[in-house]
Amino acid sequence: QVQLVESGGGSVQAGGSLRLSCAASGFTYSRICMAWFRQAPGKEREGVASIDSDSNLDYADSGKGRFTISKDKAKNTLYLQMSNLKPEDTDMYYCAAGNTDVVVAGGRCYSNDYWGQGTQVTVSP
């Protein structure tokens, strides 16, 4: 059973930093793509950053230059380092994983088949 469990969200002031983590388990195949998404109430979920098993990366424009996606294969953990946070970064952030091991434009995976429960990020002015 695939599980994705996010952690690391919280409340920070503008200009601050947070590191989100996503612990992955239950995958029987190592070549998967993983991504971070964000979603505000009433809005569509949108990609933030994605990484495939060859460490090819893609970032949505919203986080370029401020966010860094990475993974620790030994720990089966995905990270999103967020710096210089802005109030408009306030959202629920979700970890996703896809069986098609390809990143696509907009900080997404070609397929996003599994989802975590999300972690809230709140940035105050």
Side-chain angles (χ1 to χ4, degrees), residues 95-117:
C95 174
N99 292 319
T100 302
D101 188 26
V102 176
V103 298
V104 297
R108 296 171 173 260
C109 296
Y110 183 84
S111 65
N112 301 280
D113 306 301
Y114 309 99
W115 295 89
Q117 294 300 307

Side-chain angles (χ1 to χ4, degrees), residues 57-72:
L57 310 175
D58 192 84
Y59 290 94
D61 289 343
S62 60
K64 282 182 180 177
R66 299 187 299 124
F67 295 175
T68 302
I69 189 171
S70 63
K71 59 183 178 181
D72 185 326

Side-chain angles (χ1 to χ4, degrees), residues 47-86:
V48 175
S50 53
I51 182 169
D52 67 17
S53 60
D54 292 325
S55 295
N56 294 304
L57 310 175
D58 192 84
Y59 290 94
D61 289 343
S62 60
K64 282 182 180 177
R66 299 187 299 124
F67 295 175
T68 302
I69 189 171
S70 63
K71 59 183 178 181
D72 185 326
K73 291 183 179 179
K75 295 181 179 180
N76 291 324
T77 301
L78 179 74
Y79 301 101
L80 183 69
Q81 178 68 48
M82 304 188 294
S83 303
N84 191 23
L85 283 161
K86 304 175 182 179

Side-chain angles (χ1 to χ4, degrees), residues 31 41 43 51 75 87 91 97 117 123:
R31 295 193 65 83
K43 293 189 176 181
I51 182 169
K75 295 181 179 180
D91 266 334
Q117 294 300 307
V123 185

